[in-house]
């Protein structure tokens, strides 16, 4: 409940959810972080707060509707669209766009929003799918449909020339959600192509790699299982990926991002450790799921804050110090960290005690799997 309170505390009255209140570079609302946080609010029964977030996104999408439509039109006309001309990955808390050279071309946030909105509309008793929301879903769905397999920056805002596995996962989840919300199977066709691309890569390697340019592992590929359900938790390539991720990325019991990461020394992230626990919960490994939850719980400070990452200063002091000099200490209270703790706690409660035992009984009868997509 302290994590739920932290998310609510980090939400503006207009619905925007700040990435971190104590780290100057994160004083924005990312669609990715915010959408996971809204889902956490829904599983905790805070549906009104989640609804305000989704309405804030709807309004932000409306403000950039011309940007989205122009990007789609130029793409289908065969013209190049510069990264700085693409819809943004982050917004100010007022919903405006800042043009400052940040790597904005990240489509994963838009897929994550559609997935999160779909879950909200299915779980919140009073949720209403208004015409304005429907229009926003259709616009974002068309955007994902156009750029689903296009190279862009990844979840870590790096490597803009590659197609990233975790981005494909979020795009798949978003397209499936759009198809269900709009009752339009056209989005399932693109989702099937995305799923086939992921499957082809997994079959080639025997595991799921980081990107089209990097055959190493990345902890964000865990999202192929939960929450986006591109593959089943028992999929052999996923199982092998989880083993490789655990072997190569574990630090003090938590998970780092990827092997060559240097950001603040590459500490272990609560977001990723909770993602691993979420996989274990769906795979029926309650012991490992609980271990991941406990690891995150042990990282709260005395004030109930939960940071972005831990241990980078001990693992790689040189790179930690470089980032420290550039931006100051890493985020000590990351809203997304709180969200993933709530989500994992809910998954464990439901997995071990039946559908009535989750954090919010209002979710009884809802499903965490979208419509099946055939490839």
């Amino acid at each position: 409940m302290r994590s739920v309170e932290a998310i609510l505390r980090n939400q503006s009255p207009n619905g925007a959810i700040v990435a971190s209140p104590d780290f100057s570079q994160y004083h924005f609302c990312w669609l990715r972080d915010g959408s996971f946080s809204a889902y956490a609010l829904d599983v905790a029964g805070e549906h009104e707060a989640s609804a305000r977030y989704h309405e804030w996104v709807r309004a932000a999408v409306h403000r950039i509707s011309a940007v989205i439509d122009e990007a789609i039109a130029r793409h289908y006309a065969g013209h190049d669209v510069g990264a700085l001309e693409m819809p943004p990955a982050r917004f100010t808390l007022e919903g405006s766009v800042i043009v400052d050279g940040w790597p904005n071309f990240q489509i994963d946030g838009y897929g994550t929003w559609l997935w999160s909105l779909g879950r909200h509309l299915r779980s919140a008793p009073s949720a209403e799918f208004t015409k304005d929301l429907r229009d926003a879903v259709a616009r974002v769905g068309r955007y994902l449909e156009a750029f689903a397999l296009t190279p862009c920056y990844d979840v870590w805002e790096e490597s803009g020339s590659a197609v990233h596995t975790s981005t494909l996962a979020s795009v798949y989840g978003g397209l499936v959600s759009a198809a269900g919300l709009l009752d339009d199977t056209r989005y399932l066709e693109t989702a099937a192509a995305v799923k086939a691309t992921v499957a082809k890569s997994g079959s080639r390697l025997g595991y799921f790699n980081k990107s089209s340019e990097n055959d190493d592992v990345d902890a964000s590929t865990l999202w192929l299982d939960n929450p986006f359900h591109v593959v089943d938790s028992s999929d052999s390539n996923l199982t092998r990926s989880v083993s490789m991720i655990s072997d190569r990325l574990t630090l003090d019991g938590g998970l780092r991002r990827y092997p060559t990461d240097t950001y603040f020394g590459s500490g272990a992230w609560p977001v990723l450790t909770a993602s691993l626990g979420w996989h274990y919960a769906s795979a029926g490994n309650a012991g490992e799921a609980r271990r991941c939850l406990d690891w995150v719980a042990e990282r709260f400070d005395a004030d109930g804050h939960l940071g972005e990452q831990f241990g980078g200063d001990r693992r790689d002091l040189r790179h930690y110090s470089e980032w420290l000099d550039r931006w100051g200490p890493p985020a000590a209270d990351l809203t997304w960290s709180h969200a993933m703790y709530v989500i994992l706690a809910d998954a464990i409660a439901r997995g071990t005690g039946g559908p009535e035992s989750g954090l919010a009984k209002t979710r009884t009868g809802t499903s965490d799997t979208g419509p099946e997509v055939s490839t």
Side-chain angles (χ1 to χ4, degrees):
M1 292 311 301
R2 293 186 74 177
S3 277
V4 174
E5 291 166 2
I7 299 170
L8 293 172
R9 185 171 60 249
N10 291 340
Q11 183 177 34
S12 298
N14 66 1
I17 300 174
V18 70
S20 174
D22 63 17
F23 188 60
S24 62
Q25 300 295 325
Y26 293 174
H27 288 178
F28 299 90
C29 183
W30 271 261
L31 294 183
R32 173 178 52 249
D33 301 39
S35 297
F36 274 105
S37 298
Y39 176 65
L41 291 172
D42 275 320
V43 302
E46 297 286 349
H47 299 303
E48 187 276 333
S50 179
R52 285 192 292 113
Y53 168 76
H54 290 298
E55 174 57 23
W56 178 87
V57 176
R58 182 212 61 77
V61 167
H62 177 71
R63 291 189 191 96
I64 61 167
S65 57
V67 175
I68 296 175
D69 293 347
E70 177 66 14
I72 294 170
R74 288 177 59 82
H75 173 78
Y76 284 128
H79 301 309
D80 291 335
V81 187
L84 294 179
E85 301 174 273
M86 300 300 292
R90 59 172 192 165
F91 297 82
T92 68
L93 301 187
E94 293 73 33
S96 61
V97 178
I98 299 296
V99 180
D100 57 1
W102 197 272
N104 258 336
F105 184 24
Q106 304 166 36
I107 62 176
D108 66 296
Y110 289 87
T112 304
W113 176 62
L114 290 179
W115 160 79
S116 180
L117 175 64
R119 293 298 179 266
H120 170 71
L121 292 172
R122 293 166 65 176
S123 65
S126 61
E128 182 181 0
F129 191 35
T130 64
K131 180 185 182 302
D132 287 344
L133 260 181
R134 180 180 292 272
D135 289 345
V137 169
R139 176 165 277 111
V140 172
R142 292 194 299 271
Y143 176 58
L144 292 180
E145 186 181 34
F147 292 97
L149 300 174
T150 303
C152 66
Y153 291 98
D154 67 358
V155 59
W156 312 128
E157 310 191 309
E158 299 171 342
S159 306
S161 60
V163 176
H164 305 274
T165 301
S166 63
T167 297
L168 293 175
S170 65
V171 169
Y172 174 89
L175 288 169
V176 169
S177 183
L181 291 172
L182 301 173
D183 193 22
D184 190 340
T185 58
R186 60 181 279 191
Y187 299 111
L188 296 182
E189 296 175 6
T190 307
V194 171
K195 185 172 185 176
T197 299
V198 171
K200 182 178 180 180
S201 176
S203 297
R204 176 178 68 87
L205 296 167
Y207 64 93
F208 297 110
N209 61 333
K210 179 176 175 63
S211 74
S212 60
E213 295 180 347
N214 190 331
D215 281 345
D216 215 330
V217 293
D218 189 304
S220 65
T221 59
L222 291 165
W223 303 332
L224 288 169
D225 177 15
N226 282 314
F228 301 120
H229 301 291
V230 186
V231 301
D232 187 76
S233 59
S234 62
D235 180 273
S236 60
N237 292 331
L238 179 68
T239 300
R240 194 170 295 109
S241 300
V242 171
S243 177
M244 294 170 66
I245 287 169
S246 297
D247 288 345
R248 299 182 186 182
L249 300 179
T250 296
L251 175 67
D252 299 333
L255 279 190
R256 299 166 50 226
R257 300 194 300 178
Y258 55 91
T260 58
D261 184 22
T262 60
Y263 182 58
F264 281 106
S266 187
W269 288 52
V271 164
L272 297 173
T273 309
S275 295
L276 179 62
W278 201 1
H279 162 73
Y280 283 131
S282 65
N285 190 338
E288 279 299 295
R290 172 63 66 175
R291 182 195 66 78
C292 292
L293 186 74
D294 290 345
W295 184 92
V296 179
E298 291 166 1
R299 268 67 196 172
F300 283 86
D301 68 16
D303 296 318
H305 298 157
L306 183 59
E308 178 183 69
Q309 58 173 293
F310 298 85
D313 53 339
R314 290 180 287 102
R315 181 187 170 275
D316 182 355
L317 181 60
R318 180 172 70 85
H319 284 109
Y320 180 90
S321 299
E322 288 178 1
W323 284 101
L324 187 69
D325 291 342
R326 183 184 305 181
W327 282 353
D333 200 33
L334 190 75
T335 310
W336 191 9
S337 293
H338 288 288
M340 293 305 297
Y341 183 67
V342 172
I343 291 167
L344 178 55
D346 175 72
I348 291 173
R350 287 185 291 109
T352 58
E356 292 281 352
S357 67
L359 297 184
K361 291 185 179 180
T362 53
R363 298 186 69 249
T364 301
T366 63
S367 170
D368 281 335
T369 58
E372 188 65 28
V373 177
S374 171
T375 57

